Amino acid sequence: MLHNAYGIGGTITTTFNLAQALAERHEVEIVSVLRHRERPNFTLDPKVSLRPLVDLRHEKEHPLHLRPARVFPVAEYRHQQYSELTDQRIGECLAAIDADVVIGTRPGLNVHLALQAPEHVVRIGQEHLTLGNHPPRLRTALRRAYRRLDVLTTVTEADAAAYRRRMRLPGVRVEALPNSVPDPVLPAADGTARIVVAAGRLVPVKRYDLLIEAFALVAAEHPDWQLRIYGKGEEQDRLRQLIHRLGLYENVFLMGAAAPMEAEWVKGSIGAAASNFEPFGMTIVEAMRCGLPVVSTDCPYGPGEIIENGVDGRLVPVGDRDALGAALLDLVRDDERRRRMGRTAMANARRFAPVPVVEHAERLMDEAMSARRSGRRITPERGRIRNALVSQGFAARDTAHAAAARALRTVRRGRR
């Protein structure tokens, strides 16, 4: 179950990838809560069916869609896009569903799934951001609802550990399940092109400004190298102005969005990422699978679990322009090292191929189905008492923060 399968984003990409891989052996359907265009941006395998619940092209002014959602949590980032109509359609969809397993792909949909799925259905919630990324009010709501899930997956081991430590979810299996990237169909990059490639939404957290400033160090020493940035977003005009201010208009190019990106990755020799925060790092894996070593900031949570520093890429401190520029220069200057690391990146990134990821997902689903059919629930071990006490401390803290935020909102409303 997706927010909007007709948009562009990492969650959509990885959901399509997983659905298509599962469809080799299972009947798979993607339910898209919202729809705003005729066809999805990404190509979907014909073996996977796609069902929208609310078509915004015709139902945007539906009376129920003008009323706020009651099931979808208020503190969830997308709450304003949900309504009584989405509550109703999601509830009807889940009540009538004949699937063995239903997977939610964002916190608000996981709450629907936890509260409304029939008893025979295995309920798997996916976390594509991180627990720490959510506001206290949302974490409080998730603590209550998530206890009715069977499995909760995160995209990194670090976030799985955070969920186990900070959330008390007795009977819920919390496990890391990384995103998968399809096997490349084009020949891998050979490391000879004088091009650095970056991709993603042009938003502040991705720090393309830092990457451009770091690349200025490369261009000063090697003016024949280019930086190509693929994506679109709110930062586009500001980044273009920065490129001109630094005199890099012959070296740095904003290429616009490209989907799929594989044909663009293989034109480069180095991948780059400069984010302040990265729940996983889908573009890092994409670049590595195409034979590019990746230079990335070592931000929470994903890059450090994907890149082996100095072996298949480089990790540098968050926000450090000079370190980022120096790491890029190291690979630009050393052709043999760059090519060797690119070959290693391609080999190491095979762990994110569809087959191992899907086998992991199937194993989780099979075990959860067996547990649900037998009426078993995983119970906390005695040794986990300390973790329970720790999670209770986090819960109390989140509840206090949420209460303070509510009080502040009440005071502000009273002043108007």
Side-chain angles (χ1 to χ4, degrees), residues 81-353:
Q81 294 175 259
Y82 284 73
S83 63
E84 282 193 18
L85 182 62
T86 59
D87 279 356
Q88 181 186 88
R89 297 276 172 86
I90 294 170
E92 290 170 351
C93 170
L94 290 172
I97 208 148
D98 62 352
D100 297 303
V101 179
V102 181
I103 302 172
T105 57
R106 63 175 308 111
L109 298 181
N110 296 340
V111 169
H112 270 282
L113 179 58
L115 299 179
Q116 297 176 319
E119 281 302 311
H120 73 273
V121 171
V122 167
R123 308 156 187 194
I124 299 180
Q126 291 183 340
E127 174 62 86
H128 286 278
L129 292 173
T130 68
L131 177 62
N133 191 246
H134 302 317
R137 189 181 182 192
L138 178 58
R139 291 197 295 261
T140 299
L142 299 185
R143 277 189 183 87
R144 292 193 294 265
Y146 275 15
R147 295 181 182 192
R148 301 183 64 176
L149 295 174
D150 295 284
V151 178
L152 177 66
T153 67
T154 62
V155 290
T156 62
E157 293 288 351
D159 198 39
Y163 263 99
R164 295 187 197 107
R165 186 175 68 255
R166 300 180 65 175
M167 300 276 259
R168 189 162 181 266
L169 302 174
V172 181
R173 183 169 180 173
V174 179
E175 194 159 327
L177 179 70
N179 293 333
S180 70
V181 172
D183 297 321
V185 297
L186 299 174
D190 61 10
T192 60
R194 300 179 184 279
I195 299 170
V196 177
V197 182
R201 293 174 299 122
L202 305 185
V203 292
V205 72
K206 298 293 186 180
R207 290 307 309 271
Y208 288 113
D209 58 334
L210 185 77
L211 178 58
I212 291 167
E213 290 172 354
F215 190 78
L217 304 176
V218 176
E221 184 177 312
H222 295 271
D224 53 339
W225 274 74
Q226 294 181 1
L227 169 62
R228 296 181 182 177
I229 299 173
Y230 292 85
K232 59 183 181 180
E234 64 194 69
E235 288 277 277
Q236 183 168 319
D237 289 341
R238 192 172 78 88
L239 295 175
R240 184 174 288 114
Q241 292 169 10
L242 177 62
I243 291 167
H244 280 267
R245 189 165 70 250
L246 296 176
L248 295 174
Y249 37 80
E250 293 184 354
N251 298 93
V252 180
F253 301 93
L254 302 180
M255 307 294 291
M261 264 294 295
E262 184 183 344
E264 310 309 321
W265 290 121
V266 298
K267 294 174 185 174
S269 289
I270 303 170
S275 298
N276 286 340
F277 171 76
E278 197 68 72
F280 179 65
M282 194 77 165
T283 60
I284 295 174
V285 178
E286 289 177 356
M288 292 173 67
R289 295 222 71 197
C290 289
L292 275 63
V294 178
V295 176
S296 172
T297 48
D298 191 12
C299 63
Y301 282 77
E305 291 191 16
I306 299 170
I307 296 169
E308 187 175 354
N309 190 33
V311 176
D312 51 24
R314 290 289 307 277
L315 294 168
V316 302
V318 174
D320 193 329
R321 180 202 63 186
D322 293 339
L324 184 59
L328 289 168
L329 271 171
D330 283 347
L331 294 182
V332 166
R333 290 168 179 159
D334 193 334
D335 293 348
E336 177 51 38
R337 185 183 187 200
R338 183 174 68 247
R339 292 168 191 163
R340 183 178 66 251
M341 290 177 72
R343 292 190 295 269
T344 305
M346 188 163 53
N348 288 353
R350 287 190 188 122
R351 70 190 187 276
F352 301 107

Side-chain angles (χ1 to χ4, degrees), residues 391-403:
S391 68
Q392 287 173 8
F394 281 112
R397 192 179 309 167
D398 284 344
T399 301
H401 280 301

